[in-house]
């Protein structure tokens, strides 16, 4: 036995990287992940420091300074991205709008993750009647179009940040449940799960120590997907006037307010539209990169 241990020790390189160090090294070499991480981190930092870096109060109206064009279209440097129909600084509203989009996207994805992960893991692990109940609940949810339900609920209870986050969080959990149920079924067949059960390990210990860490890769990817989905849905609801209500800065609301001037002041829609595209694109790149980096088949 001692000879085997010594042989193994000799076979391993002295400077073998630890799993976390190897993961970080792999992340640094993944261009998509790094690009998504840098862009999303930059947007998050801008949103966090909005009170410091915003040049004007995003709520302050100046009717004498309405529809000032951006600097690149002949405007002045006092309003770099121009002003809207009420004379509010567009750059300041764009910066504060990042807060709304990130808050709604992250919070809605977190609520959905808790609901969907719980149902998916329980159904995949126990099977039988528990899985049948989970599948029934999932079928009921899939029978309800998320966008139409969100429109109906927001129209009924009124549009506000709390209502929008709650509705999206309670509607976007189905993908979590489907993916994690399938992943849990695969993990359930592994020998280490059987060993833990033989050793009389408690159910919470098995679920949190043995099952969840091995489905975390799928969970991380779905969180990024649903975060982007929630941001787009919030923008759609705000565009229709049923999401975040004025005067709260919201990129979807900014697009909605600028549609009346589409033929004359197209930048009112183009600027928040580009910002929304960049945010969603960076989240998707980050999710794809995380999937490549943490996938078991891709590890060394």
């Amino acid at each position: 036995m001692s000879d085997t241990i010594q042989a193994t020790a000799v076979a391993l390189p002295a400077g073998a990287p630890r799993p976390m160090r190897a993961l970080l090294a792999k992340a640094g070499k993944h261009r998509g992940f790094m690009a998504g991480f840098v862009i999303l981190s930059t947007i998050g930092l801008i949103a966090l420091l909005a009170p410091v870096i915003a040049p004007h109060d995003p709520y302050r109206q100046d009717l004498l300074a309405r529809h000032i064009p951006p600097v690149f279209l002949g405007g002045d440097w006092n309003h770099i991205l121009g002003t809207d129909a009420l004379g509010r600084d567009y750059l300041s509203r764009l910066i504060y709008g990042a807060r709304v989009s990130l808050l709604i996207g992250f919070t809605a994805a977190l609520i959905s993750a808790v609901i969907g992960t719980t149902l998916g893991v329980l159904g995949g692990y126990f099977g039988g009647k528990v899985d049948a109940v989970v599948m029934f609940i999932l079928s009921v949810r899939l029978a309800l179009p998320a966008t139409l339900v969100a429109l109906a609920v927001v129209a009924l209870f009124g549009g506000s940040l709390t209502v929008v986050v709650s509705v999206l969080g309670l509607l976007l959990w189905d993908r979590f449940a489907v993916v994690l149920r399938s992943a849990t079924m695969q993990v359930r067949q592994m020998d280490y799960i059987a060993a833990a059960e033989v050793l009389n390990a408690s159910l919470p210990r098995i679920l949190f120590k043995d099952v969840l860490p091995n489905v975390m890769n799928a969970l991380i990817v779905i969180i990024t997907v649903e975060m982007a989905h929630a941001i787009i849905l919030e923008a759609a609801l705000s565009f229709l006037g049923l999401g975040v209500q004025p005067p709260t800065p919201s990129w979807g609301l900014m697009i909605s307010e600028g549609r009346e001037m589409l033929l004359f002041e197209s930048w009112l829609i183009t600027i928040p539209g580009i910002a929304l595209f960049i945010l969603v694109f960076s989240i998707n790149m980050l999710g794809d990169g995380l999937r490549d980096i943490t996938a078991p088949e891709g590890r060394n």
Side-chain angles (χ1 to χ4, degrees):
M1 179 64 70
S2 61
D3 294 339
T4 303
I5 295 175
Q6 291 178 0
T8 304
V10 172
L12 291 174
R18 296 180 179 181
M20 183 57 68
R21 190 180 306 169
L23 197 65
L24 292 176
K26 192 174 181 181
K29 297 178 181 178
H30 196 289
R31 295 182 179 179
F33 171 82
M34 291 304 299
F37 176 78
V38 170
I39 296 173
L40 187 59
S41 298
T42 302
I43 296 176
L45 186 62
I46 290 174
L48 184 65
L49 299 178
V52 177
I53 63 178
H56 300 277
D57 183 351
Y59 300 100
R60 184 177 179 274
Q61 302 179 14
D62 185 0
L63 297 180
L64 297 178
R66 299 168 63 247
H67 289 159
I68 294 177
V71 169
F72 53 83
L73 292 179
D76 61 75
W77 286 96
N78 188 39
H79 300 285
I80 298 177
L81 294 183
T83 60
D84 62 9
L86 296 176
R88 296 172 297 192
D89 184 69
Y90 224 52
L91 176 58
S92 299
R93 291 186 65 78
L94 194 73
I95 291 174
Y96 275 86
R99 281 185 158 190
V100 175
S101 294
L102 289 174
L103 175 63
I104 290 178
F106 178 78
T107 308
L110 184 61
I111 295 173
S112 299
V114 172
I115 298 173
T117 301
T118 301
L119 293 175
V121 170
L122 292 179
Y125 182 82
F126 289 106
K129 294 181 178 180
V130 175
D131 188 39
V133 173
V134 171
M135 290 304 297
F136 174 76
I137 297 174
L138 181 60
S139 299
V140 172
R141 160 60 195 90
L142 292 176
L144 302 173
T147 304
L148 293 180
V149 173
L151 286 172
V153 173
V154 173
L156 182 63
F157 293 99
S160 67
L161 192 61
T162 303
V163 172
V164 171
V165 169
S166 301
V167 170
L168 295 181
L170 295 174
L171 285 176
L172 301 180
W173 56 265
D174 52 285
R175 189 176 279 108
F176 287 98
V178 171
V179 174
L180 291 175
R181 173 179 174 271
S182 177
T184 303
M185 284 183 172
Q186 297 177 10
V187 172
R188 181 72 174 81
Q189 307 301 320
M190 297 299 177
D191 292 338
Y192 55 83
I193 299 294
E197 293 174 344
V198 169
L199 293 174
N200 289 326
S202 64
L203 179 61
R205 195 271 179 195
I206 294 176
L207 293 180
F208 286 101
K209 297 292 186 180
D210 297 321
V211 176
L212 275 180
N214 289 283
V215 299
M216 191 59 66
N217 168 252
L219 178 60
I220 292 173
V221 175
I222 300 302
I223 285 178
T224 58
V225 171
E226 292 304 333
M227 183 176 176
H229 190 190
I231 291 173
I232 293 176
L233 278 179
E234 180 275 326
L237 291 173
S238 297
F239 178 81
L240 296 174
L242 297 174
V244 178
Q245 297 299 301
T248 303
S250 166
W251 291 347
L253 185 60
M254 292 170 68
I255 295 174
S256 177
E257 292 172 344
R259 62 183 173 179
E260 296 180 357
M261 300 296 295
L262 176 61
L263 298 178
F264 308 99
E265 307 288 352
S266 60
W267 51 270
L268 290 171
I269 290 180
T270 304
I271 292 175
I274 292 176
L276 187 63
F277 166 77
I278 292 174
L279 176 58
V280 173
F281 185 62
S282 67
I283 294 174
N284 287 332
M285 284 197 300
L286 184 66
D288 290 342
L290 284 172
R291 193 269 170 212
D292 295 337
I293 294 168
T294 61
E297 63 271 17
R299 293 175 185 164
N300 295 324

